[in-house]
Amino acid sequence: MMFDEPGSIGADHRDSATSNGVPRRTFLKAGAAVGGGFVLEFHLPAFLSDAMAAGPSSFEPNAFVRIAGDGSVTMTMPYVEMGQGTYTSIPMLIAEELEVDLKQVKLEHAPPNEKLYGNPLLGGLQATGNSNAVRGSWQPLRQAGAAARSMLIAAAAKRWKVDPSSCRAEHGEVVHTASTRRVKYGALVGDAAQMPVPVKVALKGAGDFKLIGTPAKRLDTPAKVNGKAVYGIDVRPPGVKIATLAQSPVFGGRVKSVDDAAAKKVNGVRQIVRLGDAVAVVADHMGAAKKGLAALTIEWDDGAHAKLDTHQIVNELEQASLKPGAVAQNIGDVDRAMAGAVAKVEATYQIPFLAHATMEPMNCTVHVRKDGCEVWVGTQAMARAQAAAAKVSGLPLDKVVVHNHLIGGGFGRRLEIDGVIRATQIAMQVDGPVKVVWTREEDIQHDMYRPCFFDRFSAGLDQKGMPVAWNHRYAGSSVMARWAPPFFQNGLDPDTTEGAIDLVYGLPNVHVEYVRIEPPGIPTAFWRSVGPSHNVFVVESFMDELAAAAKQDPVAYRRALLDKSPRAKAVLDLAAQKAGWGQLLPKGVGRGISMQFAFGSHLSHVAEVEVSKDGSVRVRRVTSAIDCGTVVNPDTVRAQIQSAVMFGVTAALYGEITLKDGRVEQTNFDTYRILRMSEAPVVEVHIVQSSEAPGGIGEAGTSAIMPAVANAIFAATGKRLRRLPVDAAALSQPA
Amino acid sequence: MAYTIKVNGEAHTVDVDRDTPLLWVLRDVLGMTGTKFGCGRALCGACTVHLNGAPTRSCVTPIQSIGNSAVTTIEAVGNTAAGRKIQKAWLDLEVVQCGYCQSGQIMSASALLASNPHPDDSAIDDAMSGNICRCGTYNRIREAIKHAAGSPGAAGKEG
């Protein structure tokens, strides 16, 4: 991988820039491109309009692009790479307008700086999540490339004493079209830095794209096949010690006593660190640290949640769902429509807590000194990581340097900074740098979990069986209320409701309510596909129930409700056609459909499942159709849908975190199963060509596959699953 | 106690307890971080290395059991014919996402290809089902193994 040594990145001059991080509303007008193509002209957002104070030998027109005298182009990545391909798609956006080849580009992780690198779709927080990197960058980062290009052209034109409009840029060079004179970007850096930053820049129209829309090779991959890629867990600052820890097995519990005599005798163990609610063993290597941890005798004070049980939590949710909640959406008059309905359908659903189980276990390396603190971590929330280390260490923010790294699986887990807090607490007591690595057991038992939910539905059908009333109330945790409180208002937040409201279906009377109830002691967090991971499962399962009640085909039934959503109808049709919907299947095999509008993308899956006599379920094949607007990298879109399907099938078939006596019962991959090669469905992805604005793709496939699997099980067995994960024992019983 | 092990053709002497898993010797003592920690119990395959060519979970392999066996890791598997083919196929077919498990996947796939030059789906399932990929790159892994074997033809057909 082409990363500059992170070295002093967190403390460099860019931190002092004073630009406004939230892109101003941009104004666009159409204009004619130099080459005759159609372009759109945009006012440059404020955060791109201040050229950086660069050294004499480089050109740094904004916080994202730096061109050196040797012509090398370095791009600073505002979003972190965790497998989703952002270190390829974001450079594609910049390179498209900068007119450089991706091969010329080096990447570096952005330092913590919300003003420069805040996510415009997450209220300016510097975070990677909600499948919105391309959505948030689509315009500003093309502008970043275009502004740099226009300054380079201006510098060349001045040198040649010609009109800039008579020049063009290609392959890292400026060309004077009439005379065919050429100059490389590297030779222009000094002059370009003197050019004024343009107020407006013209962006290419879709017809002129050279890179966007192509299956460009990923930039992060070569180092990931030869062991050279550096994840957070791989850092080795000189003198680093390795620590592992035991946290209170009950959330909120405390350490009562520790007998560390045996642990201290373990060869390679250097120190035992005691915290209020955890104990860590610091050693020369992880083998010694784990052995030392096993040799500790820790007595815990379990505290208030000592008897916590999942059944109790679910009961509380069920009770809460009986009470009125905040109205998330109301269309028409559901009560009146229900009273006039020919038939009524009711159902309740329940979904479990889920762990993230990223392949790279939680880890963070910290070196606390009197005058400063250094942190090495792979994080989805860079600025928060810095703030957490500052708060724990008591050091001012500008004394905390954070190095971000490749992430071995995020899925929302690394939007949280509990690992940084833990590591800093431990490092406060250790002389020199310490890498705190969680065992898999700690990782699963001290995750912050996808919340469980309880849902209540009722619908009224007319004489044709079509829904005239749709009533949905659900109870569960709001992650947003904790993670970004300003987004939680009047009992609602945009994440908990996504997928439950603004349905693509033409429903005349809709009423949706949310009851916020937080499980006692259990930390909840975002998990791949966030709100829709819950809502799309229940909405698409219930829609399937309505089709069954109306004795109609599930595809035809949905299709009849999509007259006002042509993009949704198109993906439904495409998925059904490619899957061979309606073709005969052997006994015990069924197809199920789902559809979804979430993360700005339309998606439909058809799952084909086989249910054995013992109730075990195998997902054989998944056919997906996606309309995510303009596609930046079609290969990444396919890869992300395939990935998201496996993630969702894992959850549908196996995913469940349960508590007994306040303790998480699952420990490792034997009790928290992940789909394996022999169980993996074949996933076919079909992309709808579109020139709409880009939608998100990293998470969309996960939420939509869960109902497709459940609906396919219904088709195969006649049994409706209203609870996840799949209950093989129930499926083995006669219908 | 001191142990001398042969890793990627080079001898290294390390002073650790006899039950220390090879994984931590590689990562923390020798600084070879390409081999990954995933579960510590041979459940996920992220730590897979070759011992005399056989895929082995280094997280449960004590240092004392290694003796004169040749340890090959992801850093050097490209020096073998099968490893080179597998790494190239991984790039050609753009298998990798987060990449954390891929060292182990490549080590398992290389060992498979070295022992079975034309593995069928069932052989791939057998050899690869001990390696978890949380990003779910299984379709492409299967396809890439076939591609490396010179028999492209895929599970992951795409539109």
Side-chain angles (χ1 to χ4, degrees):
Chain A
M1 176 146 197
M2 301 170 291
F3 276 110
D4 281 359
E5 176 56 35
S8 63
I9 200 175
D12 80 9
H13 60 275
R14 271 169 287 185
D15 288 6
S16 62
T18 55
S19 322
N20 174 5
V22 182
R24 275 196 313 233
R25 188 177 167 81
T26 49
F27 303 92
L28 61 109
K29 64 174 188 180
V34 175
F38 183 77
V39 297
L40 295 172
E41 198 169 67
F42 295 88
H43 279 271
L44 210 59
F47 74 116
L48 290 179
S49 62
D50 294 334
M52 303 314 223
S57 60
S58 71
F59 166 52
E60 195 166 351
N62 51 57
F64 303 95
V65 178
R66 186 169 71 244
I67 301 175
D70 64 2
S72 64
V73 179
T74 304
M75 296 182 183
T76 304
M77 296 291 100
Y79 306 102
V80 72
E81 177 62 58
M82 46 191 177
Q84 80 279 41
T86 196
Y87 279 8
T88 309
S89 51
I90 298 297
M92 287 173 80
L93 298 181
I94 303 174
E96 178 72 62
E97 289 291 345
L98 185 56
E99 298 288 0
V100 293
D101 300 329
L102 283 180
K103 281 183 210 155
Q104 292 175 257
V105 173
K106 288 184 199 171
L107 305 179
E108 61 184 28
H109 308 282
N113 187 328
E114 298 212 308
K115 286 181 177 166
L116 292 176
Y117 303 113
N119 185 329
L121 298 180
L122 287 176
L125 295 167
Q126 187 177 354
T128 308
N130 203 32
S131 299
N132 62 25
V134 166
R135 284 188 283 164
S137 304
W138 174 241
Q139 189 165 304
L141 291 195
R142 286 187 299 145
Q143 289 175 304
R149 180 199 66 219
S150 103
M151 291 163 78
L152 288 157
I153 287 177
K158 191 175 174 193
R159 188 179 291 181
W160 292 328
K161 299 188 174 61
V162 299
D163 187 330
S165 70
S166 67
C167 301
R168 67 178 197 276
E170 60 186 30
H171 305 301
E173 294 181 331
V174 179
V175 183
H176 180 234
T177 307
S179 66
T180 71
R181 273 177 293 186
R182 291 173 171 272
V183 57
K184 291 186 185 303
Y185 284 178
L188 290 167
V189 295
D191 292 351
Q194 305 304 315
M195 293 293 126
V197 178
V199 179
K200 290 188 243 179
V201 290
L203 296 182
K204 288 180 189 174
D208 293 323
F209 289 155
K210 293 175 194 160
L211 258 180
I212 292 172
T214 67
K217 284 286 179 188
R218 288 178 67 128
L219 300 179
D220 58 330
T221 308
K224 289 178 173 178
V225 303
N226 61 22
K228 292 205 172 102
V230 177
Y231 300 83
I233 203 169
D234 298 327
V235 301
R236 292 170 52 83
V240 71
K241 294 276 181 285
I242 312 294
T244 195
L245 79 172
Q247 301 172 84
S248 169
V250 176
F251 293 103
R254 311 283 295 172
V255 177
K256 199 191 276 178
S257 70
V258 183
D259 178 353
D260 60 10
K264 280 179 169 165
K265 288 182 190 152
V266 171
N267 189 22
V269 167
R270 298 288 168 178
Q271 188 181 349
I272 313 296
V273 174
R274 185 177 159 164
L275 303 172
D277 57 351
V279 183
V281 177
V282 183
D284 294 341
H285 56 85
M286 184 71 169
K290 283 180 78 173
K291 201 171 169 184
L293 195 75
L296 286 175
T297 304
I298 309 171
E299 204 183 343
W300 301 97
D301 173 0
D302 287 346
H305 305 304
K307 289 291 158 201
L308 198 62
D309 192 287
T310 322
H311 298 295
Q312 171 198 338
I313 294 168
V314 172
N315 283 343
E316 283 171 15
L317 292 183
E318 184 172 359
Q319 291 307 309
S321 74
L322 291 165
K323 298 171 194 152
V327 178
Q329 188 158 49
N330 189 76
I331 300 168
D333 186 338
V334 161
D335 290 344
R336 213 172 116 190
M338 201 72 88
V342 172
K344 192 173 176 184
V345 182
E346 289 183 313
T348 62
Y349 293 85
Q350 193 252 308
I351 62 164
F353 289 117
L354 294 172
H356 299 82
T358 62
M359 289 310 295
E360 180 188 5
M362 289 289 284
N363 67 88
C364 178
T365 302
V366 181
H367 187 185
V368 178
R369 301 178 312 272
K370 273 186 189 150
D371 59 345
C373 170
E374 212 167 344
V375 178
W376 297 261
V377 68
T379 178
Q380 294 175 252
M382 190 60 170
R384 285 189 176 194
Q386 184 191 34
K391 191 173 173 192
V392 174
S393 65
L395 290 160
L397 208 55
D398 63 2
K399 298 291 180 197
V400 177
V401 176
V402 184
H403 309 281
N404 209 354
H405 292 81
L406 293 172
I407 290 182
F411 315 123
R413 181 64 182 97
R414 288 179 164 97
L415 284 166
E416 303 295 344
I417 40 125
D418 56 317
V420 178
I421 293 171
R422 273 282 178 243
T424 311
Q425 288 170 338
I426 293 164
M428 294 282 287
Q429 299 189 36
V430 175
D431 189 18
V434 59
K435 173 157 65 179
V436 179
V437 178
W438 299 25
T439 61
R440 175 59 61 193
E441 288 77 9
E442 280 294 312
D443 183 274
I444 286 181
Q445 300 194 308
H446 294 86
D447 198 347
M448 299 175 75
Y449 303 97
R450 197 286 304 269
C452 58
F453 283 92
F454 192 94
D455 291 69
R456 239 165 239 292
F457 279 92
S458 58
L461 308 183
D462 65 14
Q463 67 279 10
K464 290 180 182 161
M466 300 311 288
V468 290
W470 174 275
N471 210 337
H472 177 197
R473 185 192 291 154
Y474 56 98
S477 165
S478 164
V479 179
M480 204 60 109
R482 171 186 62 81
W483 195 83
F487 284 97
F488 187 79
Q489 286 182 2
N490 304 317
L492 297 167
D493 71 71
D495 172 58
T496 313
T497 54
E498 183 167 11
I501 61 171
D502 301 330
L503 302 179
V504 288
Y505 301 114
L507 299 171
N509 301 288
V510 173
H511 188 80
V512 181
E513 287 184 18
Y514 166 53
V515 183
R516 182 187 174 199
I517 174 168
E518 297 297 331
I522 315 284
T524 62
F526 298 120
W527 183 93
R528 190 177 193 174
S529 80
V530 294
S533 82
H534 154 237
N535 290 319
V536 175
F537 169 67
V538 295
V539 163
E540 284 298 298
S541 294
F542 191 60
M543 187 57 80
D544 225 60
E545 296 212 42
L546 300 189
K551 296 188 168 47
Q552 293 188 30
D553 174 78
V555 171
Y557 191 78
R558 285 173 172 80
R559 199 170 190 283
L561 296 168
L562 292 174
D563 284 344
K564 286 178 184 165
S565 307
R567 289 176 74 188
K569 192 189 269 187
V571 295
L572 180 79
D573 286 346
L574 184 59
Q577 180 226 325
K578 296 288 185 184
W581 187 265
Q583 287 171 15
L584 276 180
L585 289 169
K587 192 169 183 299
V589 179
R591 283 191 199 94
I593 190 136
S594 70
M595 56 183 312
Q596 164 184 290
F597 178 65
F599 312 104
S601 295
H602 290 275
L603 175 68
S604 181
H605 286 311
V606 175
E608 187 181 300
V609 310
E610 183 175 2
V611 183
S612 305
K613 284 204 178 105
D614 66 358
S616 62
V617 173
R618 174 175 161 75
V619 182
R620 307 201 312 180
R621 178 182 170 214
V622 174
T623 310
S624 306
I626 182 157
D627 174 354
C628 56
T630 301
V631 172
V632 175
N633 187 326
D635 194 56
T636 299
V637 171
R638 289 195 184 93
Q640 283 304 299
I641 299 296
Q642 291 173 328
S643 166
V645 163
M646 302 299 176
F647 206 86
V649 169
T650 293
L653 298 187
Y654 311 129
E656 183 168 35
I657 288 290
T658 55
L659 288 98
K660 196 178 173 209
D661 292 332
R663 287 151 168 84
V664 170
E665 294 185 285
Q666 293 71 27
T667 58
N668 207 316
F669 294 126
D670 49 352
T671 44
Y672 193 73
R673 278 178 73 181
I674 309 292
L675 203 71
R676 292 174 183 272
M677 173 68 90
S678 56
E679 306 163 315
V682 173
V683 182
E684 298 171 24
V685 181
H686 302 277
I687 302 173
V688 174
Q689 295 301 315
S690 167
S691 55
E692 301 275 346
I697 48 108
E699 300 174 89
T702 295
S703 36
I705 193 61
M706 294 187 242
V709 168
N711 295 341
I713 290 170
F714 176 75
T717 65
K719 287 176 185 161
R720 178 65 62 185
L721 297 178
R722 298 192 181 90
R723 194 186 166 279
L724 288 180
V726 166
D727 182 351
L731 292 178
S732 68
Q733 303 299 315
Chain B
M1 182 174 170
Y3 293 89
T4 299
I5 57 171
K6 200 167 68 188
V7 182
N8 300 332
E10 215 174 301
H12 298 268
T13 301
V14 295
D15 185 7
V16 294
D17 281 0
R18 61 184 185 166
D19 57 355
T20 304
L22 174 62
L23 172 64
W24 306 117
V25 172
L26 292 172
R27 287 184 55 81
D28 294 344
V29 181
L30 301 179
M32 300 170 66
T33 56
T35 304
K36 299 302 190 214
F37 165 50
C39 69
R41 286 180 46 204
L43 296 168
C44 79
C47 67
T48 305
V49 298
H50 295 174
L51 280 192
N52 292 336
T56 304
R57 312 299 186 214
S58 66
C59 73
V60 293
T61 304
I63 187 85
Q64 68 162 0
S65 71
I66 294 177
N68 294 323
S69 301
V71 179
T72 306
T73 70
I74 185 69
E75 284 89 351
V77 76
N79 297 334
T80 69
R84 196 161 46 244
K85 277 188 204 168
I86 289 290
Q87 283 174 326
K88 182 175 183 304
W90 251 238
L91 294 175
D92 288 349
L93 274 70
E94 207 73 282
V95 168
V96 179
Q97 293 190 25
C98 94
Y100 190 80
C101 76
Q102 297 294 349
S103 293
Q105 304 280 1
I106 287 168
M107 295 309 288
S108 291
S110 301
L112 168 65
L113 201 65
S115 66
N116 179 353
H118 297 286
D120 60 12
D121 281 333
S122 153
I124 292 173
D125 281 348
D126 287 349
M128 302 304 296
S129 288
N131 289 78
I132 292 174
C133 174
R134 191 70 168 123
C135 298
T137 61
Y138 299 124
N139 282 185
R140 291 188 183 198
I141 289 175
R142 185 185 300 281
E143 205 176 343
I145 292 171
K146 291 179 178 177
H147 180 79
S151 53
K157 200 177 88 182
E158 291 168 5

